[in-house]
Amino acid sequence: MPGKFPLFFEKRKICIICEGYEEYDYLARLTSLDVWNSQYEITLVNAKGNGNIPARYQDKYQNGEFDAVFVFCDTDQKPFEPYDAIKRKINEFHGLDYAAREVVVFGNPCTLQIIILHWRNIILKSHKKSVNSKILADVLRIRGYNARTDQRRRLFANVTEKNFWKMYHRVKGLPTNDHIMGSSNFGTLIDRLRERDATWIDALNDKLDSY
């Protein structure tokens, strides 16, 4: 007869490099709602600017602490130069022309495109906060939004497990071509982090290590 000892399973460690405070605080809020499968231990890193993302990614990938490393960032608008530079440097790091496609999670024109889907099925036309603040004023009565600490706190306090599912279904309906306005592949990351079978991590690493 087996002894009555508790079984301990080692969590799979996931690191997500966030472009800035908005992305960091948003994912921190989702993590606090326990919307991910409990087998994943999520660590968030604030890159504090898109120019810092490639170095942060390389550092976290190389140190061997994590089972998988992702990037969460804006595309901004055409000609997408800073965003495309992030993808190019990640591809060069892995020596693969498709590596960034596997690990970069984006919102076009910005991550607010994902966030707004918690409340309304709205497609943003600009990455500028001066434009999108009018939408937030209408939807959540947050006026003059420019991502200040107090405004982010108010914004993400309105993110709940219930409207997480509304966002999920809406974001899954968006195009996943990162050069199309109103697109995102965030739904794929959600699917992965809710997956009970973590073999997707091994498959991902096999792709990234195939060079």
Side-chain angles (χ1 to χ4, degrees):
M1 179 178 178
K4 295 182 179 180
F5 294 103
L7 296 177
F8 295 97
F9 298 95
E10 187 174 353
K11 288 180 178 287
R12 306 305 297 269
K13 295 182 178 181
I14 310 294
C15 179
I16 305 176
I17 311 297
C18 302
E19 178 176 336
Y21 290 96
E22 201 169 42
E23 291 80 11
Y24 181 95
D25 287 354
Y26 174 56
L27 291 185
R29 174 60 174 173
L30 293 185
T31 300
S32 75
L33 294 175
D34 292 327
V35 295
W36 316 130
N37 190 287
S38 60
Q39 72 173 306
Y40 303 112
E41 180 180 309
I42 311 297
T43 296
L44 304 176
V45 174
N46 185 352
K48 300 180 181 179
N50 55 23
N52 299 323
I53 289 175
R56 299 288 189 277
Y57 175 84
Q58 292 178 31
D59 175 62
K60 297 303 179 184
Y61 188 89
Q62 287 179 317
N63 71 16
E65 180 182 353
F66 300 100
D67 296 295
V69 182
F70 294 95
V71 167
F72 185 46
C73 63
D74 297 341
T75 66
D76 290 330
Q77 290 182 302
K78 293 181 180 179
F80 307 112
E81 290 177 355
Y83 171 72
D84 284 345
I86 292 169
K87 294 196 298 179
R88 183 181 67 255
K89 290 176 182 178
I90 289 175
N91 286 341
E92 290 172 352
F93 169 68
H94 286 286
L96 300 166
D97 61 5
Y98 59 78
R101 186 169 65 244
E102 298 291 335
V103 300
V104 175
V105 181
F106 67 89
N108 181 332
C110 56
T111 50
L112 188 61
Q113 174 60 75
I114 299 166
I115 296 164
I116 199 68
L117 297 180
H118 282 266
W119 306 286
R120 301 270 184 88
N121 196 11
I122 294 173
I123 300 300
L124 300 183
K125 303 300 182 184
S126 173
H127 71 287
K128 296 180 179 179
K129 287 185 170 58
S130 59
V131 175
N132 295 328
S133 65
K134 298 174 183 177
I135 297 173
L136 285 178
D138 178 57
V139 174
L140 293 175
R141 302 295 186 264
I142 300 175
R143 303 191 183 283
Y145 181 81
N146 61 5
R148 292 196 320 263
T149 301
D150 61 310
Q151 293 173 327
R152 296 196 311 273
R153 190 177 297 116
R154 287 184 60 197
L155 174 61
F156 298 130
N158 285 280
V159 171
T160 65
E161 184 178 1
K162 182 177 180 179
N163 61 42
F164 167 83
W165 288 109
K166 293 181 179 179
M167 177 277 298
Y168 170 73
H169 291 296
R170 289 166 177 164
V171 83
K172 289 285 284 187
L174 296 181
T176 55
N177 183 328
D178 56 5
H179 283 189
I180 293 177
M181 185 74 72
S183 62
S184 179
N185 62 349
F186 188 52
T188 300
L189 181 64
I190 294 172
D191 289 338
R192 284 171 161 172
L193 295 183
R194 292 190 58 80
E195 178 60 63
R196 295 176 62 185
D197 181 358
T199 56
W200 64 265
I201 294 176
D202 302 317
L204 172 63
N205 289 325
D206 285 345
K207 287 182 180 180
L208 297 178
D209 295 337
S210 63
Y211 178 66

